[in-house]
Amino acid sequence: MDLAFLNPLYEHPGPWASVYVDTSRHTEDTAHELHLTAEAMARELARQGADEDTCRAVASAIDDMRHSPDPHGRALFAQGGRVVLDPRLARPPLGDSWAEWAPLPRVGPLLDLAGEDPVAIVAYVDRKGADFELRSALGREQAGKVVGRQWPIHRTSSVDWSERHFQLKVENTWEHNAAEIADALSVCQEETGADLLIMVGDDRERSEVRERLPKRLHDQVVEAVHGTGSRLLDEDVERLRSEHVRRRIDDELDRFRAARNPDDEGRSGAVEGVPALVEAAREHRLEELLISPDGADARREVWIGEDPDQVAVRRTELKILGEQHSWPARADDALIRSAVTTDAAALSLAPAGESAGEDAPVGGLGAILRWK
């Protein structure tokens, strides 16, 4: 996950209100339920010590969601009487809506609830052209249309010379249309930044378009088992998107394992465990954080100062570093703050509700480093 959009959260000192709102249950009473949620979240923040203006800003933002509820939910980060950031979620929060008032914004859950949501272009391909549709966890939208040459497009069974000449024209029409579709699909991917290209159509038509795509896109192309109009096509698309996420996680875990092995001088290109990660964060060596949402180390307490570089396992370490003011914080949120301010990335190692598996870093926190 590219963390750059979180920068506004670290331009102001805390404490912060972090609220995760579940809007996945759509009923006739959704508007009323959101109003009740707004009141409940404001009361909870006030109970934890949040100021009245910030509580009011959060309640107002949740209340406004009743006009156009998101498919799954939204995260709200508020401070100083205003909501600074309110990203949409790709899946509902586990459990129910919740709120927290803390020195740092609780951004850890975002990696799991909004991070790995691959955007896919579904290309409905036939001999006459193609329709493109953009798919993500937030829904679908039309993304373009290609109308190729319309004549001739059908073969005949005759062996007459004139018919063979006609067959050649058919082949030329197919090839022309496939090239037009491939060009348009390439442009669509570049404009949308889609992670995945899902081809729907007959085997030959999909193959001819795929062959004409730029090499840079070949690894992003997958093919749906079911065709246009099938009730099972939506399941195909979601399965392919999930498989893409799993491959991405597996690839990064492979990188982590390879980097973790020490070289001849005993140096490693990856670290795990809170003390080693804190040291790497202070030295700006984080390239990518790897976080298991259910890992014990994610919840471990560390100490932070006002500056993102000021993070330590013990409070006394910050005093040695010259920091006069310090606060306790969760390890995952403190490390993510360091990652954001040094242009590092982060990845949740398990989609919501799943286990990260045995290959995950010990304690559930690890990182691939920029240098050993």
Side-chain angles (χ1 to χ4, degrees):
M1 184 180 188
D2 182 354
L3 302 176
F5 77 101
L6 294 176
N7 267 300
L9 301 184
Y10 306 111
E11 293 173 354
H12 308 282
W16 284 85
S18 304
V19 183
Y20 286 78
V21 183
D22 185 349
T23 59
S24 62
R25 295 181 291 275
H26 305 290
T27 68
E28 292 181 358
D29 295 329
T30 295
H32 179 62
E33 289 174 359
L34 279 172
H35 178 69
L36 295 178
T37 298
E39 292 181 338
M41 294 300 99
R43 284 197 303 271
E44 176 59 22
L45 289 171
R47 186 190 68 80
Q48 296 182 35
D51 61 277
E52 184 178 342
D53 288 344
T54 299
C55 293
R56 190 182 301 114
V58 167
S60 177
I62 298 174
D63 229 4
D64 286 345
M65 292 181 197
R66 70 183 189 274
H67 301 300
S68 56
D70 295 303
H72 307 292
R74 193 175 284 265
L76 303 173
F77 301 101
Q79 182 264 356
R82 68 188 185 96
V83 174
V84 177
L85 201 64
D86 61 343
R88 299 166 77 183
L89 304 180
R91 52 186 66 86
L94 291 176
D96 206 348
S97 303
W98 56 270
E100 185 172 312
W101 180 250
L104 288 180
R106 281 285 291 115
V107 294
L110 270 185
L111 301 186
D112 192 37
L113 302 177
E116 292 302 304
D117 175 29
V119 176
I121 298 173
V122 182
Y124 300 90
V125 178
D126 61 29
R127 298 174 183 177
K128 297 180 180 179
D131 289 295
F132 301 151
E133 184 181 66
L134 215 57
R135 295 272 196 112
S136 73
L138 300 177
R140 63 179 75 187
E141 60 182 277
Q142 295 303 310
K145 184 182 185 70
V146 179
V147 179
R149 292 177 181 171
Q150 303 299 296
W151 183 92
I153 57 172
H154 298 292
R155 292 173 176 270
T156 70
S157 58
S158 172
V159 295
D160 181 81
W161 179 89
S162 63
E163 292 299 338
R164 290 200 300 273
H165 182 66
F166 180 82
Q167 305 282 29
L168 182 59
K169 287 187 176 180
V170 170
E171 294 288 345
N172 290 341
T173 300
W174 284 359
E175 292 175 2
H176 175 271
N177 289 353
E180 290 280 321
I181 294 168
D183 286 346
L185 186 53
S186 175
V187 170
C188 186
Q189 188 280 331
E190 196 168 340
E191 291 178 347
T192 61
D195 307 284
L196 205 57
L197 307 178
I198 301 176
M199 308 291 288
V200 180
D202 291 343
D203 289 345
R204 175 169 181 177
E205 293 154 5
R206 294 185 304 193
S207 177
E208 290 194 353
V209 172
R210 186 172 191 161
E211 289 172 0
R212 288 165 174 78
L213 285 169
K215 288 185 178 179
R216 67 179 179 84
L217 296 179
H218 285 186
D219 291 341
Q220 294 176 242
V221 180
V222 292
E223 298 184 355
V225 175
H226 299 90
T228 306
S230 170
R231 292 181 294 107
L232 300 176
L233 180 57
D234 285 346
E235 293 181 14
D236 273 358
V237 171
E238 290 312 302
R239 173 181 56 80
L240 292 168
R241 291 177 67 246
S242 295
E243 289 174 355
H244 176 83
V245 172
R246 191 70 255 172
R247 284 194 302 272
R248 157 99 166 110
I249 292 172
D250 290 343
D251 287 346
E252 294 309 293
L253 282 173
D254 285 344
R255 283 186 65 211
F256 174 78
R257 284 192 298 270
R260 183 170 52 185
N261 295 326
D263 59 18
D264 294 338
E265 299 180 13
R267 300 174 304 176
S268 298
V271 294
E272 57 194 325
V274 172
L277 284 161
V278 164
E279 181 181 356
R282 285 203 300 254
E283 296 172 351
H284 297 190
R285 287 193 293 142
L286 301 178
E287 177 186 315
E288 182 177 46
L289 274 174
L290 305 178
I291 299 178
S292 299
D294 57 352
D297 279 354
R299 300 186 296 274
R300 183 170 165 178
E301 184 180 272
V302 297
W303 289 86
I304 61 166
E306 293 182 358
D307 191 274
D309 292 337
Q310 295 164 339
V311 55
V313 176
R314 289 177 291 275
R315 191 175 192 175
T316 52
E317 293 178 39
L318 286 181
K319 291 183 178 179
I320 294 172
L321 295 171
E323 176 56 42
Q324 300 302 313
H325 305 286
S326 57
W327 302 269
R330 284 177 56 117
D332 55 355
D333 290 324
L335 290 168
I336 290 172
R337 179 179 71 156
S338 296
V340 170
T341 55
T342 57
D343 298 323
L347 177 68
S348 172
L349 295 179
E354 295 184 15
S355 170
E358 296 179 359
D359 292 333
V362 175
L365 284 180
I368 299 170
L369 303 178
R370 288 178 168 138
W371 68 86
K372 298 180 179 180

